[in-house]
Amino acid sequence: MSLKEMLPEYMTEFPEMGRADLRDLKKGIDQSFRTFTRENGEAIENFFYPLKMFMVWFEKLLLGTPWPLMIAVLCLLVWLGARSITMVIGTAIALLVIGYLGMWEDTMRTLALVSVSTFVCIAIGIPVGILMSKSDRIQAVIVPILDIMQTIPAFVYLIPVLMLLGIGKVPGLIAVCIYAIPPVVRLTNLGIRLVDKDVLEAADAFGASPRQKMMQVQLPLALPNLFAGVNQTIMMALAMVVVASLIGAHGLGSQVLKAVYNQYLTHGMMNGLAIVTIAIVFDRVSQKFGKRLQKHSEKIHG
């Protein structure tokens, strides 16, 4: 006789909610969210309309720019960020290969999605990280939210985003931002909190205001962590392009999805490698730029 058979029923059967109650609970939550969506859907769409226009404008700008000019601009940005002729040549060769293999337009769409989502994440994430660094209470509230954003499966939060905004560029952008924003928030907060207290006391002794202390002491010294956060945000945004394509974000991700549906191995591999190429360029440039800024701040602060 097993141990389970020897114990009373209430010890072996987990106390579950009744099926009828559970069904009513799920139906109640679903109905409440549908009602909220019907009543506020238009207002939410209007709120995100400027973001949609910016996204569409930026994508058209990248697609409408002649490819030689686009490669020259991207190589110039790589040079300004990394100051490495090797990286510039590598970027130019990678873009030429991507274009030669027929993935230019999808690459530009993905570049637009990742660039705009990274811009949104930085614009929201760094101020939130600064707020967290100033108050333990705010940190205690935001950290569990970041934990949920990083651990909840992406397909789960695609459902409410889809119900609120339907299929399109903005839902894809929001899905990418939800997944990609936590690193820049966490590492901005961490970087500012790790600034040496002796340095802050010296800034106080020289009569620095809280704003001067933040802008001229804490943020410059937190740059290594801050750029590590930006770097991770870019990588996570690129990791989401395939998932975001499920709700209307076009680009290399949608081509990978198409390859999965149709079992096109080569098509999927080529588009996947194009995403990896963009990730490597973003990663190396942001790392080099962060190191250069760090050296610059070290010279300033002695």
Side-chain angles (χ1 to χ4, degrees), residues 140-155:
V141 172
I142 294 178
V143 165
I145 297 172
L146 296 177
D147 291 341
I148 292 170
M149 291 167 75
Q150 281 191 297
T151 53
I152 191 170
F155 290 99

Side-chain angles (χ1 to χ4, degrees), residues 35-264:
T35 305
F36 174 81
T37 304
R38 289 191 198 103
E39 292 177 355
N40 301 283
E42 189 175 347
I44 293 170
E45 282 184 15
N46 291 336
F47 178 77
F48 286 110
Y49 185 73
L51 187 61
K52 179 183 176 183
M53 287 297 99
F54 178 62
M55 180 74 197
V56 170
W57 170 81
F58 192 63
E59 189 178 290
K60 283 183 178 176
L61 177 69
L62 296 189
L63 287 171
T65 305
W67 67 266
L69 180 59
M70 197 65 228
I71 291 178
V73 170
L74 291 173
C75 287
L76 177 64
L77 292 175
V78 170
W79 170 253
L80 292 174
R83 297 294 167 84
S84 165
I85 192 67
T86 307
M87 286 199 61
V88 171
I89 293 172
T91 302
I93 292 173
L95 290 171
L96 287 170
V97 172
I98 284 171
Y100 186 68
L101 294 176
M103 297 180 287
W104 182 259
E105 290 192 359
D106 287 322
T107 302
M108 291 300 105
R109 289 192 179 96
T110 299
L111 204 58
L113 175 66
V114 173
S115 301
V116 174
S117 59
T118 303
F119 173 76
V120 172
C121 289
I122 290 172
I124 297 172
I126 291 179
V128 173
I130 291 172
L131 279 176
M132 284 174 69
S133 70
K134 286 175 172 287
S135 166
D136 290 338
R137 288 184 179 178
I138 295 176
Q139 179 180 250
V141 172
I142 294 178
V143 165
I145 297 172
L146 296 177
D147 291 341
I148 292 170
M149 291 167 75
Q150 281 191 297
T151 53
I152 191 170
F155 290 99
V156 174
Y157 63 73
L158 286 183
I159 299 169
V161 171
L162 193 62
M163 288 174 72
L164 284 169
L165 296 165
I167 290 176
K169 295 180 190 300
V170 172
L173 183 66
I174 292 171
V176 172
C177 288
I178 291 172
Y179 186 72
I181 199 171
V184 72
V185 177
R186 286 185 193 277
L187 288 169
T188 301
N189 172 42
L190 180 66
I192 294 172
R193 284 177 180 270
L194 287 177
V195 172
D196 195 335
K197 289 182 180 176
D198 292 340
V199 177
L200 297 178
E201 287 175 5
D204 288 331
F206 280 103
S209 65
R211 180 182 171 81
Q212 286 174 325
K213 203 162 66 173
M214 176 59 70
M215 300 304 294
Q216 297 178 15
V217 179
Q218 289 172 290
L219 279 179
L221 290 175
L223 278 177
N225 281 299
L226 201 149
F227 267 88
V230 172
N231 179 279
Q232 287 302 306
T233 290
I234 294 169
M235 294 301 106
M236 293 179 81
L238 276 163
M240 272 294 287
V241 295
V242 177
V243 177
S245 67
L246 285 168
I247 53 173
H250 296 296
L252 295 169
S254 62
Q255 295 302 319
V256 173
L257 198 64
K258 184 179 172 184
V260 171
Y261 284 147
N262 296 289
Q263 300 181 14
Y264 295 151

Side-chain angles (χ1 to χ4, degrees), residues 12-27:
T12 56
E13 297 297 328
F14 200 92
E16 294 179 348
M17 181 185 281
R19 290 195 174 191
D21 292 336
L22 185 60
R23 187 183 62 244
D24 292 342
L25 177 67
K26 290 177 181 176
K27 282 178 70 177

